[in-house]
């Protein structure tokens, strides 16, 4: 039977279930990655499983999110992460070595393999023909222990690329163009698979920009073929042996086809506050700007920084602009330091940042009040930058660099952009893996170091058959995990759930914490009410774990995002969806809600009826749960479920 690339890889890895779109399957995971902000919990959970060594082909622990080290907490976390990794046979990429997705692509990604990462931008690996999926830390911990990863067998959308990009238009514009078509909702359980002649014109880092930001559409992952371009990237990384060819069969089937003529793509910008708010840059050309930030896992490759360095050569950043640049990896940083690119950037007045997530996660570089901040990363959610009143505009490195010089938005296709600087990417990259620590064969002498900020992950209780409680917050559509569990300065509490929980919904409702703990202390359930697409964005399981800690038992929403919904189930919180969305209007904050016979409904696959006692109305809620997920919920979460089975 002829197959697409996605199903070829899934078929090789499917251990539970059959490959039929929209059915649950369990797949073997070859590689895992974690980053520090989600990693501490993932390793604490892994430790609690009592498995002596990671069972994957390769697992890597990166430190890239939380590198500011204001206070002892981050440094303690880094120490814990290093010692726990080496104890359990996991490679450790030190802080300063770069952003997990960029480094993984350079040094470890392999076509045809599966990669599970505790970060939603893990699909970056799809640029190298991997099935690379973002998940909560607990799912990654289970995969490290040799357990399968469960997902809904996806529908595969074929994105056919024709032609070639014009000068000044780059991969970021392609993915923004796709976001304009697909938007940020309604794409769950799909894979975007690229094909067509245009694929050959894109390098692996350019493909990775596209698969990286594909995450913003909400799909499970995105994937490119593995071809001669992939081979030459691996050769440049001195890893040609890792190459295999991987293409879809000529008459492979897809659920849908979208054709994009690359030569017609124009420079694009995502306006505040959603990556799906995309318009051509031309529409806002001339608008004044205050800040430009270049970097992140979307746009920090050697290609991206080289083009920026060439555009800035001999120029100076506009006097009213702050320009900061963060290389994606130590390899990129070192290579631009050895040619004229880094000095071009410095001479142009750029502020050079560490190879880390930095500004992208709101770790520094918060813009001024009401700022217009132009950035090359992938998310522009309100407040994520650290300044609630600022608007973040997502663009390509080309648009960012030209705009930094001008002090206003410049459309790279306009005359003012000038001559396009041709760039040459070397055939061989500088290889130096000494910042990646390899675990010893005998780790018996390694002591795991834990600072005082590192607490045990809390565990839920078994599911109650009856719940009575109140609506603690009513929110609208597209609530992101940044709304639920802010990062930035709060990141240092990622390994301290008790403390981090104080900040749940901090910016939407500063009283949420008090309201929820008050209910919890009276043994009442805490409920959350939401519109469409609840839990967009990151994989941070803290957006489920901390609400669970505060007594949240169920969320009533019009729809949920994939990773967040899986995280809710993993921590024993019921994700319930309105059978009739208009009834969302019949519930308000403070309403008292009673739910009866939950277990019976789950067992018999019946809708769950919630009774709004305040409004005296019964509302039917649906759910889409496999038997495995129902059992996890009944057990009070995945850790309880695993322990029960052991
Ligand atoms: C993000 O880009 O939102 C993050 C920070 O990388 C998150 C992970 C986290 O919250 O730790 C993600 O994308 O999953
Ligand atoms: Fe880091 Fe930003 Fe990428 Fe998340 S999106 S991994 S915070 S660079």
């Amino acid at each position: 039977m002829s197959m697409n690339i996605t199903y070829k890889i899934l078929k090789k890895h499917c251990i539970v279930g059959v490959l039929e779109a929209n059915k649950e399957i369990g797949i073997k995971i070859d590689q895992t990655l974690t980053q520090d902000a989600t990693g501490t919990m993932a390793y604490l959970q892994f430790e609690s499983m009592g498995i002596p060594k990671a069972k994957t082909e390769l697992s890597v622990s990166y430190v890239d999110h939380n590198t500011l080290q204001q206070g002892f907490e981050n440094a303690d976390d880094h120490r814990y992460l290093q010692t726990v990794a080496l104890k359990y046979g996991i490679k450790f990429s030190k802080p300063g070595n770069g952003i997990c997705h960029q480094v993984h692509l350079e040094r470890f990604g392999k076509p045809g393999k599966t990669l599970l990462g505790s970060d939603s931008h893990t699909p970056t690996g799809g640029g190298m023909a991997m099935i690379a999926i973002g998940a909560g830390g607990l799912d990654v911990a289970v995969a490290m222990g040799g357990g399968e990863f469960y997902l809904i067998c996806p529908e595969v959308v074929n994105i056919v690329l024709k032609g070639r990009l014009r000068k000044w238009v780059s991969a970021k514009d392609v993915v923004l163009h796709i976001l304009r078509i697909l938007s940020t909702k309604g794409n769950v359980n799909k894979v975007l698979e690229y094909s067509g002649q245009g694929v050959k014109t894109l390098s692996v880092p350019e493909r990775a920009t596209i698969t990286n930001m594909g995450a913003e559409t909400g799909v499970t992952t995105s994937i490119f073929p593995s071809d001669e371009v992939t081979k030459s990237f691996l050769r440049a990384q001195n890893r040609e042996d890792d190459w295999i060819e991987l293409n879809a069969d000529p008459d492979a089937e897809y659920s849908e086809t979208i054709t994009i003529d690359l030569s017609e793509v124009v420079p694009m910008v995502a306006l505040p506050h959603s990556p799906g708010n995309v318009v051509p840059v031309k529409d806002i050309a001339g608008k004044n700007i205050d800040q430009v930030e270049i970097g992140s896992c979307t746009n920090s490759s050697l290609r991206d920084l080289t083009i920026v360095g060439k555009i800035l050569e001999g120029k100076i950043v506009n006097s009213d602009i702050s320009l900061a640049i963060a290389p994606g990896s130590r390899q990129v940083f070192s290579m631009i330091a050895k040619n004229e690119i880094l000095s071009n950037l410095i001479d142009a007045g750029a502020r050079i940042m560490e190879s880390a997530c930095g500004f992208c996660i709101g770790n520094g570089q918060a813009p001024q009040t009401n700022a217009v901040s132009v950035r090359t990363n992938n998310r522009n959610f309100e407040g994520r930058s650290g300044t609630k009143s600022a608007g973040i505009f997502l663009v390509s490195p080309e648009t960012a660099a030209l705009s930094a010089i001008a002090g206003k938005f410049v459309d790279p296709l306009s005359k003012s952009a000038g001559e396009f600087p041709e760039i040459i990417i070397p055939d061989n990259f500088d290889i130096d893996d000494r910042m990646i620590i390899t675990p010893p064969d005998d780790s018996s002498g390694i002591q795991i170091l834990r600072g005082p900020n590192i607490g045990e992950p809390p565990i839920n209780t078994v599911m109650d058959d009856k719940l009575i409680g109140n609506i603690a917050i009513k929110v609208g559509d597209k609530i992101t995990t940044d709304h639920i569990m802010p990062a930035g300065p709060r990141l240092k509490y990622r390994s301290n759930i008790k403390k981090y929980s104080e900040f749940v919904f901090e910016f939407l409702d500063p009283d949420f914490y008090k309201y929820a703990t008050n209910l919890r202390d009276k043994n009442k359930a805490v409920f959350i009410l939401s519109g469409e697409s609840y839990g967009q964005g990151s994989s941070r399981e803290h957006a489920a774990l901390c609400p669970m800690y505060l007594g949240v038992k169920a969320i009533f929403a019009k729809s949920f995002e994939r990773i967040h919904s899986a995280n809710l189930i993993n921590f024993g919180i019921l994700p319930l969806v309105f059978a009739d969305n208009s009834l969302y209007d019949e519930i308000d904050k403070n309403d008292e809600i009673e739910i009866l016979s939950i277990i019976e409904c789950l067992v018999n696959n019946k809708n769950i009826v919630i009774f709004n006692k305040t409004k005296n109305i019964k509302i039917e809620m649906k759910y889409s749960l496999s038997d495995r997920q129902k059992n996890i919920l009944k057990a009070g979460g995945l850790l309880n479920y695993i322990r029960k089975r052991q």
Side-chain angles (χ1 to χ4, degrees):
M1 203 185 96
S2 57
M3 264 196 265
N4 54 46
I5 304 171
T6 307
Y7 274 49
K8 282 186 184 179
I9 303 178
L10 288 179
K11 186 164 180 234
K12 277 214 169 115
H13 291 83
C14 188
I15 311 171
V16 183
V18 284
L19 288 189
E20 212 176 290
N22 301 314
K23 295 261 164 66
E24 190 178 62
I25 53 171
I27 59 169
K28 176 182 173 291
I29 294 298
D30 301 321
Q31 300 188 349
T32 63
L33 71 78
T34 56
Q35 40 89 342
D36 50 308
T38 54
T40 45
M41 274 301 132
Y43 293 107
L44 286 165
Q45 287 153 348
F46 180 77
E47 281 189 89
S48 77
M49 289 173 199
I51 293 161
K53 281 260 177 232
K55 294 184 181 164
T56 43
E57 289 173 15
L58 172 89
S59 286
V60 190
S61 169
Y62 294 90
V63 177
D64 53 0
H65 279 61
N66 239 326
T67 52
L68 274 189
Q69 297 176 218
Q70 288 165 318
F72 64 92
E73 292 92 343
N74 292 171
D76 280 3
D77 281 357
H78 300 171
R79 216 10 119 212
Y80 166 70
L81 288 167
Q82 179 160 358
T83 50
V84 78
L86 300 186
K87 184 85 183 172
Y88 290 105
I90 294 155
K91 284 185 190 282
F92 180 73
S93 173
K94 291 177 70 181
N97 196 46
I99 305 174
C100 54
H101 309 302
Q102 175 69 24
V103 179
H104 207 86
L105 192 74
E106 290 167 357
R107 305 305 307 139
F108 300 114
K110 284 189 189 180
K113 296 284 181 186
T114 53
L115 166 68
L116 192 70
S118 61
D119 191 282
S120 65
H121 291 105
T122 305
T124 312
M128 203 193 276
M130 304 184 85
I131 288 287
I133 304 178
L138 182 49
D139 280 332
V140 176
V142 169
M144 285 191 288
E148 57 278 356
F149 171 67
Y150 288 88
L151 71 155
I152 299 295
C153 188
E155 287 180 11
V156 185
V157 179
N158 185 13
I159 304 210
V160 184
L161 301 180
K162 289 186 352 191
R164 169 184 288 277
L165 289 171
R166 280 182 270 177
K167 286 175 182 172
W168 287 116
V169 184
S170 65
K172 179 64 156 288
D173 301 309
V174 177
V175 70
L176 288 171
H177 179 92
I178 290 166
L179 269 151
R180 196 178 194 201
I181 300 170
L182 295 179
S183 89
T184 57
K185 60 185 179 100
N187 304 306
V188 284
N189 302 326
K190 292 183 180 175
V191 169
L192 305 181
E193 182 172 311
Y194 289 84
S195 69
Q197 291 301 314
V199 164
K200 282 201 213 105
T201 66
L202 299 171
S203 66
V204 168
E206 290 171 303
R207 296 174 185 185
T209 294
I210 295 172
T211 58
N212 169 287
M213 205 173 169
E216 270 49 69
T217 64
V219 295
T220 304
T221 191
S222 305
I223 190 165
F224 273 82
S226 173
D227 54 10
E228 286 301 317
V229 176
T230 323
K231 192 178 189 174
S232 59
F233 178 80
L234 283 166
R235 191 183 309 121
Q237 294 287 348
N238 201 13
R239 299 202 289 123
E240 196 173 339
D241 290 350
D242 289 342
W243 183 74
I244 57 162
E245 189 172 13
L246 209 44
N247 282 306
D249 293 330
D251 43 0
E253 280 183 18
Y254 295 93
S255 64
E256 198 185 324
T257 299
I258 298 172
T259 303
I260 295 175
D261 186 343
L262 293 176
S263 64
E264 283 174 9
V265 175
V266 296
M268 293 287 189
V269 51
L271 309 175
H273 299 287
S274 168
N277 262 347
V278 179
V279 299
V281 177
K282 150 165 100 20
D283 290 6
I284 57 164
K287 182 182 171 64
N288 284 341
I289 63 175
D290 302 297
Q291 186 194 43
V292 178
E293 304 286 310
I294 298 177
S296 91
C297 57
T298 319
N299 278 126
S300 58
S301 65
L302 183 66
R303 180 258 167 223
D304 288 341
L305 294 204
T306 305
I307 196 90
V308 169
K310 286 286 179 195
I311 295 170
L312 290 175
E313 188 170 4
K315 306 270 179 11
I316 188 81
V317 59
N318 182 280
S319 56
D320 292 333
I321 301 296
S322 168
L323 166 67
I325 301 181
S329 69
R330 178 166 165 263
Q331 183 184 67
V332 173
F333 210 163
S334 164
M335 288 178 76
I336 61 167
K338 289 176 196 147
N339 57 31
E340 82 286 9
I341 296 300
L342 182 59
S343 57
N344 286 353
L345 302 179
I346 296 171
D347 292 349
R351 303 163 65 182
I352 309 299
M353 302 286 140
E354 190 178 13
S355 289
C357 300
F359 70 85
C360 177
I361 183 64
N363 230 347
Q365 300 301 311
Q368 73 199 46
T369 306
N370 299 327
V372 173
S373 176
V374 180
R375 300 179 172 213
T376 64
N377 60 303
N378 46 37
R379 290 193 171 139
N380 57 353
F381 305 144
E382 188 176 14
R384 179 175 158 108
S385 66
T387 306
K388 194 158 189 265
S389 66
I392 308 298
F393 295 71
L394 306 175
V395 298
S396 70
E398 290 83 345
T399 304
L402 290 169
S403 304
I405 299 167
K408 51 189 181 208
F409 278 99
V410 173
D411 175 11
L413 289 181
S414 67
K415 285 218 171 59
S416 60
E419 190 79 355
F420 181 73
E422 295 298 342
I423 59 166
I424 297 167
I425 298 298
D427 289 339
N428 293 302
F429 283 49
D430 293 353
I431 314 292
D432 176 1
D433 289 335
R434 285 174 300 166
M435 291 276 279
I436 301 171
I437 314 294
T438 300
D441 291 336
D442 175 9
S443 62
S444 56
I446 293 175
Q447 200 203 340
I448 301 175
L449 301 177
R450 293 167 217 275
N453 189 45
I454 296 175
E456 285 299 303
I459 293 185
N460 209 342
T461 47
V462 293
M463 167 85 63
D464 292 312
D465 194 40
K466 168 181 173 180
L467 290 170
I468 178 132
N470 296 76
I471 302 289
I473 188 168
K474 177 172 182 173
V475 290
D477 292 345
K478 295 193 191 172
I479 291 301
T480 71
T481 51
D482 281 272
H483 289 114
I484 308 168
M485 219 45 271
R490 306 299 183 208
L491 270 177
K492 65 180 183 184
Y493 299 123
R494 282 287 175 95
S495 48
N496 183 344
I497 298 303
K498 188 166 180 285
K499 181 74 192 164
Y500 199 27
S501 299
E502 292 175 17
F503 307 109
V504 175
F505 288 121
E506 186 185 7
F507 296 111
L508 288 184
D509 178 1
D511 289 331
F512 180 85
Y513 171 73
K514 251 203 265 144
Y515 191 102
T517 42
N518 196 11
L519 280 177
R520 183 191 62 186
D521 296 346
K522 288 188 195 141
N523 275 328
K524 289 187 82 182
V526 181
F527 299 120
I528 293 170
L529 176 63
S530 167
E532 297 273 12
S533 203
Y534 183 76
Q536 277 195 359
S538 92
S539 69
R540 65 188 72 147
E541 61 188 1
H542 300 77
L545 189 49
C546 294
M548 175 209 100
Y549 181 74
L550 297 182
V552 174
K553 296 292 178 194
I555 298 179
F556 314 131
K558 292 185 186 171
S559 64
F560 289 90
E561 281 304 299
R562 175 189 67 88
I563 305 181
H564 188 60
S565 159
N567 285 338
L568 290 172
I569 295 164
N570 280 352
F571 292 100
I573 299 176
L574 268 170
L576 298 178
V577 180
F578 286 93
D580 171 358
N581 275 345
S582 69
L583 295 178
Y584 163 88
D585 298 326
E586 302 294 327
I587 314 180
D588 288 299
K589 186 178 167 178
N590 299 328
D591 284 1
E592 193 178 25
I593 306 284
E594 185 181 64
I595 321 180
L596 301 174
S597 311
I598 299 172
I599 307 284
E600 194 223 307
C601 290
L602 288 178
V603 171
N604 296 314
N605 229 356
K606 286 198 310 210
N607 283 353
I608 292 180
V609 176
I610 64 170
F611 177 44
N612 185 340
K613 291 178 98 173
T614 312
K615 305 257 164 60
N616 195 21
I617 173 172
K618 286 188 174 164
I619 296 173
E620 233 178 277
M621 305 297 298
K622 309 182 287 188
Y623 47 84
S624 161
L625 299 167
S626 66
D627 288 344
R628 186 190 63 91
Q629 289 174 318
K630 288 180 191 167
N631 289 333
I632 292 174
L633 281 167
K634 283 194 277 172
L638 185 56
L639 275 179
N640 285 341
Y641 172 75
I642 293 172
R643 283 185 195 150
K644 233 173 69 184
R645 287 206 314 181
Q646 273 169 356

